[in-house]
Amino acid sequence: MPQRPWSIEINQFEGYIPNFWDDEYPIIGNKGQASAMTNINLLNPNVLTQGPGLVNLTNNSVVTTMIKGILRRYVEGLSAVAAVGGNKVYKLTTGEVTSDGNFPHTIDKAAVTSEDGEDVLYYQGAILYSYNHSGAAGDVGRWTGAASFDDDYMSTVPTGATTLQGDVPHPMWLGGDDVAYIGNGHYVATLNTTTFTDQALDLPVGEVVVAGGYTSNRNYIATNNPNVSVSAQAESSIYIWDGVSRSWEFQIRVYGKIGAIWIKNGVVYVFYQDISSTGGFKLGFISNNGVKDICNFTGSLPLYYQVTEIKNHIMWASSGQVWAYGAATNLLPTRLFQYCDGGYATLGGISNVFGVLYIASTDAVNFRLAQPSGYDVNAAWKTISFDVANGREKSVMSKISIFTEPISSGGQLDVTLKANYGAISKALTSVNGQLLTRHVILRDEFEVENFRLDFDWSAGSTTNPVKIRKIIIDGYYNLNQ
């Protein structure tokens, strides 16, 4: 009987398809994209493999609070970076939380309780740490030298000293004008060397500053109205301000709650949520006085201390996981993927510290600060659904080959074929074997109209990964059927 061959080769892995949450067997998308994934590392554009596992930093036992703000820069004089959360200030070195007579430092402002750290900022040779406390107020402490702390600095020392608004986020960022900016309810506060102005910018009542940043001689200030944790639509804005005038220069209205902004090479990226869709969590950027969407994701909205950058990829926290968007170089297409687990179910701050991703998390009882290590076996990838049906011919699948890098002892990948919208589910030959790079996992013939391949690393290794370079699926059409 005459046969007409068909073949599908996947040699570029491109992250999630658009609207991946809408259909279990989607046919829209590029052949190298995924319909679902768990803990997948696409930082290397040449391979598809397991995302990293996590290991706690040395002395993690002294982390007794949920860390939020983690300093985004190395402080040369301290050979360390700072982090804050709860009533603690932490000193972090490479792979270690400092534990000595000075650290962790307990924030203990006189006559108040419930100190709860928000953010950290390096400013003019000192580290500032913002926090809320009892009495519906907040403050900014100051760490100078090796271990000298003034927990009530902003309310007692600078000209114009006073407390901050309470029970609101207090993100801090540095301006190109060498001014420290602080979110303060519906105000933006400033510290200009030793002069503090708690209401330098007065925004409309009801607005709450949730994130901010500085680029091109302007502040970009993200607000929500109302700023509530329940699933409710907010009237949000991004205000553009020169840092000097009594009012903002321009307002960009955003339909949805804003979580964070991230500034990369002068581009202002915005994370916000449209609650009408499961995939209504959006990453966009400011363009022509508006926000242009570039991808959607599921889970939860990252906050100002839950965004960072690794290897030319923006990374953020979402429902206990870390997601990524970007490309290894600007010459390659961008990709959206879920990169790794965050540790405990509730994530705190994430940051690129010493060139390594640090992730804080808690289960409400225990706390951890961890970094990537090895490989996670809780890793999975599902392709799109390939439609090979033909109205005048029957399609037959005959062979599937997977090409990998050499696999060391313990490395294993299991593959399941889901055909005809799941009516056929067939476990294929496992991919393993030392030093093998070509694996034929199917030598059989059966009719299919559509199919999806599900990859599962759960029986694999945390030290010896399976890295896929190419997948080839072969078949043919029976003519005159």
Side-chain angles (χ1 to χ4, degrees):
M1 182 178 295
Q3 296 179 348
R4 182 166 60 90
W6 58 260
S7 182
I8 298 171
E9 179 175 330
I10 306 171
N11 54 20
Q12 292 183 351
F13 301 99
E14 304 176 50
Y16 271 117
I17 62 169
N19 287 63
F20 59 88
W21 59 89
D22 273 342
D23 198 314
E24 189 176 1
Y25 297 95
I27 61 173
I28 296 176
N30 297 330
K31 61 185 179 180
Q33 290 184 304
S35 60
M37 71 176 79
T38 302
N39 302 328
I40 291 294
N41 187 352
L42 294 177
L43 294 179
N44 179 347
N46 297 295
V47 297
L48 166 65
T49 192
Q50 302 151 250
L54 295 179
V55 63
N56 289 345
L57 270 62
T58 301
N59 297 329
N60 181 76
S61 60
V62 303
V63 178
T64 57
T65 61
M66 167 63 98
I67 292 174
K68 291 183 179 179
I70 304 175
L71 200 63
R72 295 188 177 98
R73 60 158 290 175
Y74 177 77
V75 180
E76 187 173 1
L78 295 174
S79 299
V81 299
V84 68
N87 66 342
K88 301 291 184 183
V89 176
Y90 298 92
K91 178 181 177 182
L92 311 178
T93 56
T94 304
E96 183 175 343
V97 183
T98 299
S99 177
D100 58 24
N102 296 313
F103 295 96
H105 166 71
T106 299
I107 303 171
D108 187 16
K109 180 178 178 178
V112 304
T113 60
S114 304
E115 294 91 343
D116 190 8
E118 283 282 321
D119 204 3
V120 285
L121 179 70
Y122 184 73
Y123 182 63
Q124 296 188 352
I127 293 173
L128 305 178
Y129 47 96
S130 62
Y131 61 96
N132 287 300
H133 59 67
S134 61
D139 212 329
V140 178
R142 189 169 183 260
W143 164 12
T144 56
S148 178
F149 296 92
D150 185 350
D151 290 334
D152 61 358
Y153 170 79
M154 204 66 80
S155 62
T156 61
V157 175
T159 302
T162 188
T163 57
L164 299 176
Q165 303 289 309
D167 303 320
V168 292
H170 294 298
M172 300 191 292
W173 63 95
L174 182 64
D177 50 0
D178 199 28
V179 173
Y181 295 90
I182 307 165
N184 190 26
H186 69 90
Y187 304 106
V188 176
T190 60
L191 177 64
N192 190 344
T193 308
T194 58
T195 299
F196 179 59
T197 306
D198 67 320
Q199 300 178 14
L201 178 65
D202 186 356
L203 299 170
V205 174
E207 302 278 317
V208 176
V209 175
V210 295
Y214 190 97
T215 186
S216 302
N217 298 317
R218 293 295 182 271
N219 288 277
Y220 288 78
I221 303 154
T223 68
N224 289 327
N225 185 3
N227 186 51
V228 292
S229 60
V230 299
S231 181
Q233 199 68 279
E235 294 180 0
S236 303
S237 295
I238 296 173
Y239 293 93
I240 301 173
W241 178 46
D242 62 9
V244 178
S245 304
R246 292 300 299 169
S247 184
W248 59 90
E249 298 171 87
F250 194 80
Q251 177 186 9
I252 300 172
R253 293 192 179 274
V254 178
Y255 183 71
K257 181 180 179 180
I258 297 176
I261 65 174
W262 182 258
I263 298 177
K264 173 182 170 65
N265 298 334
V267 178
V268 181
Y269 292 89
V270 183
F271 291 87
Y272 71 102
Q273 179 187 8
D274 171 8
I275 66 168
S276 65
S277 169
T278 300
F281 300 96
K282 300 172 181 282
L283 171 59
F285 65 92
I286 293 178
S287 175
N288 295 326
N289 298 324
V291 176
K292 182 177 180 179
D293 296 344
I294 53 178
C295 69
N296 288 45
F297 59 98
T298 57
S300 62
L301 195 61
L303 303 177
Y304 69 87
Y305 50 83
Q306 294 180 316
V307 184
T308 190
E309 183 179 340
I310 298 284
K311 295 183 178 180
N312 209 40
H313 290 73
I314 299 173
M315 291 192 175
W316 64 92
S318 176
S319 289
Q321 300 173 326
V322 176
W323 288 60
Y325 177 84
T329 75
N330 293 334
L331 300 177
L332 294 173
T334 55
R335 296 171 294 182
L336 170 70
F337 56 100
Q338 191 268 297
Y339 176 60
C340 71
D341 185 76
Y344 292 128
T346 301
L347 297 196
I350 72 171
S351 187
N352 176 356
V353 180
F354 309 109
V356 177
L357 179 65
Y358 278 12
I359 309 171
S361 64
T362 183
D363 62 1
V365 176
N366 303 292
F367 304 88
R368 68 186 298 196
L369 184 61
Q371 66 183 31
S373 176
Y375 299 88
D376 197 337
V377 294
N378 180 29
W381 171 281
K382 296 179 181 180
T383 69
I384 65 171
S385 183
F386 296 97
D387 187 351
V388 291
N390 189 312
R392 302 188 56 159
E393 303 163 314
K394 288 186 177 180
S395 178
V396 177
M397 178 182 291
S398 58
K399 184 179 179 181
I400 300 177
S401 303
I402 295 182
F403 297 80
T404 67
E405 293 188 354
I407 302 172
S408 298
S409 178
Q412 181 168 314
L413 170 66
D414 295 314
V415 185
T416 300
L417 171 67
K418 294 291 185 70
N420 301 342
Y421 300 109
I424 298 173
S425 181
K426 181 178 179 63
L428 307 180
T429 303
S430 295
V431 174
N432 53 33
Q434 296 186 37
L435 304 181
L436 295 179
T437 58
R438 178 176 176 270
H439 314 264
V440 179
I441 62 173
L442 175 69
R443 290 184 186 272
D444 199 358
E445 295 192 354
F446 53 93
E447 295 180 0
V448 295
E449 294 182 357
N450 56 74
F451 67 91
R452 186 188 76 196
L453 296 178
D454 296 357
F455 299 95
D456 180 7
W457 283 264
S458 62
S461 169
T462 58
T463 55
N464 295 321
V466 175
K467 296 183 178 182
I468 303 171
R469 283 188 169 268
K470 182 169 61 176
I471 304 163
I472 299 178
I473 307 105
D474 293 313
Y476 59 87
Y477 293 109
N478 271 331
L479 303 182
N480 302 320
Q481 291 284 313

